[in-house]
Amino acid sequence: MTYSVGILGCGVMGQSFLSAVQKFRVLGTSEDKEKLPTKFYTTNHNEESVKNVKKVLEENIKKITEDEEVLKNFGFEDHECYTGKDNIKLIEKSDVVLFSIKPYQMEQVLNQIKEAGFDLKNKVFISLVAGWTTESMREILNNKEMIITRLMTNTPAKFGEGAVVVSHTGSEELLQKWKEKLNFMIEQLGVMVELPESKMDAATALVGSGPAFVLNFLEAMVDAGIKMGIPYKESYILALKTVEGTAKMGQLTNYTHPSVLKHQVCTPGGTTIAGLVEMDNRGVKSGVINGITEAARVASELGKKK
Ligand SMILES: NC(=O)c1ccc[n+]([C@@H]2O[C@H](COP(=O)([O-])OP(=O)(O)OC[C@H]3O[C@@H](n4cnc5c(N)ncnc54)[C@H](OP(=O)(O)O)[C@@H]3O)[C@@H](O)[C@H]2O)c1
């Protein structure tokens, strides 16, 4: 069964999704490609953004291949790729629709879909929109059966390096038909974890906002290097590799608790413990915990602001 995907709101996250799936669509094995969409449609609000998405699509594919035929077809066999402003046309043409607009734009778009009177039985909706529950989407759409999947990821997904939280809802029969395909497509974004929808606000904070928090820490590390006389570029390279290497170490040691790995670096009376105590004195750890939980609180408020 081939299927098409429409990205309703092709901004930062919509383009990240498109880049990751598009890349695999070109590079994956033929067996893998079977599980991916063959046709893509995107919509934006402004004409300028539509032109920009077209450019991004072309540039993406040029990075992946130099094959003229693939370039002409944007990398899709049996290609068709529509970029425009018409959401109704996008819904008509797409089996799976990814909602990647801002939370405050959601109500108007859902009402637009409802008024168009679509038979939604054979559509799958995936929502990246923070704060909007599947229940509130179903209420507007007046549909209890169709698959509505909540998805939370982050900007590294553009490179297939995202953390992804997914929560599927809908009738058992439809989920049986779609779930494997949907999960495979979503896994192109990075590492995927399935959680109950009640954890989505937490996922929005930990995963969606997460890169900004890590970058804040990274920036501080780079600045510390510069303060101590290491040039910017070298400081950045070293700080970045330290973050990346530490992350890999967590993975390669089978998720050993961070405190255990941390104390392996702490020589009694040494430099690391001195640095850690100073950071504790300044509330770095509790600041991070409070920052992330505050982001989750704001996420929970978003869906209520209609
Ligand atoms: N950014 C993140 O790191 C991140 C992470 C996880 C989840 N999210 C969630 O992902 C969603 C999208 O965020 P984003 O950062 O990608 O936002 P964004 O870059 O502003 O993208 C939103 C896109 O929606 C388009 N749009 C607005 N109204 C529309 C309409 N009526 N019909 C069709 N398209 C419309 C905009 O088009 P124009 O460009 O023409 O205005 C824009 O390209 C949000 O709900 C956010 O909560 C974001």
Side-chain angles (χ1 to χ4, degrees):
M1 180 190 85
T2 60
Y3 66 104
S4 53
V5 167
I7 299 170
L8 197 154
C10 201
V12 173
M13 292 313 291
Q15 288 174 30
S16 297
F17 179 89
L18 194 57
S19 301
V21 178
Q22 196 176 28
K23 187 170 181 187
F24 206 76
R25 183 92 201 108
V26 176
L27 298 180
T29 65
S30 52
E31 199 187 320
D32 289 338
K33 285 181 194 173
E34 290 286 300
K35 293 181 230 159
L36 292 172
T38 49
K39 296 177 184 179
F40 288 78
Y41 307 96
T42 65
T43 49
N44 283 78
H45 189 241
N46 302 313
E47 199 52 53
E48 209 39 49
S49 306
V50 172
K51 281 190 199 143
N52 186 42
V53 170
K54 277 189 187 144
K55 228 191 286 165
V56 169
L57 273 165
E58 278 170 355
E59 278 163 13
N60 274 350
I61 213 77
K62 274 186 198 153
K63 278 186 215 147
I64 305 168
T65 179
E66 288 178 356
D67 183 322
E68 285 291 318
E69 204 47 33
V70 176
L71 282 175
K72 198 174 80 196
N73 297 345
F74 285 142
F76 312 119
E77 296 148 22
D78 186 21
H79 78 103
E80 194 174 332
C81 194
Y82 161 82
T83 64
K85 290 171 67 175
D86 188 344
N87 289 334
I88 298 302
K89 182 171 172 184
L90 176 130
I91 307 268
E92 258 166 25
K93 283 180 157 288
S94 309
D95 300 305
V96 177
V97 179
L98 177 81
F99 289 80
S100 188
I101 46 179
K102 295 287 188 194
Y104 70 90
Q105 294 158 336
M106 195 64 167
E107 187 170 16
Q108 191 217 342
V109 168
L110 289 175
N111 278 317
Q112 196 187 7
I113 295 167
K114 186 188 172 186
E115 279 155 27
F118 283 109
D119 178 5
L120 295 174
K121 200 170 62 215
N122 297 316
K123 304 279 180 197
V124 173
F125 283 0
I126 303 176
S127 169
L128 256 169
V129 182
W132 270 82
T133 63
T134 55
E135 202 185 319
S136 47
M137 288 177 71
R138 283 185 195 285
E139 211 174 290
I140 296 183
L141 297 168
N142 194 21
N143 190 300
K144 290 195 170 84
E145 297 288 302
M146 70 182 296
I147 296 178
I148 304 186
T149 292
R150 287 278 302 275
L151 179 68
M152 185 44 62
T153 185
N154 49 30
T155 42
K158 181 176 182 177
F159 311 99
E161 295 290 341
V164 189
V165 178
V166 75
S167 179
H168 298 289
T169 68
S171 79
E172 271 310 310
E173 191 194 338
L174 289 170
L175 283 170
Q176 213 157 9
K177 180 175 158 199
W178 275 101
K179 198 170 160 181
E180 195 191 331
K181 267 195 169 66
L182 292 176
N183 281 351
F184 185 79
M185 178 176 71
I186 291 166
E187 275 167 4
Q188 304 319 313
L189 302 175
V191 172
M192 189 192 83
V193 171
E194 224 175 311
L195 287 177
E197 194 185 348
S198 58
K199 302 290 176 250
M200 272 299 162
D201 292 333
T204 302
L206 190 65
V207 168
S209 308
F213 303 142
V214 174
L215 287 164
N216 214 19
F217 187 77
L218 184 66
E219 184 187 357
M221 283 183 81
V222 175
D223 282 354
I226 295 169
K227 189 178 178 200
M228 295 181 296
I230 300 175
Y232 162 72
K233 181 89 184 286
E234 284 74 6
S235 186
Y236 195 177
I237 290 170
L238 294 171
L240 198 61
K241 189 63 194 171
T242 303
V243 171
E244 186 197 347
T246 309
K248 281 215 174 106
M249 187 166 67
Q251 226 176 9
L252 294 172
T253 54
N254 203 18
Y255 304 97
T256 301
H257 196 281
S259 63
V260 175
L261 296 175
K262 198 169 72 178
H263 279 280
Q264 287 171 1
V265 194
C266 290
T267 311
T271 56
T272 311
I273 192 68
L276 282 171
V277 168
E278 181 60 17
M279 285 187 198
D280 273 356
N281 280 341
R282 291 177 184 263
V284 171
K285 191 173 171 190
S286 60
V288 170
I289 295 171
N290 288 332
I292 296 177
T293 49
E294 174 62 7
R297 188 193 64 73
V298 172
S300 73
E301 294 291 319
L302 286 177
K304 294 178 199 157
K305 278 189 209 157
K306 290 179 191 168

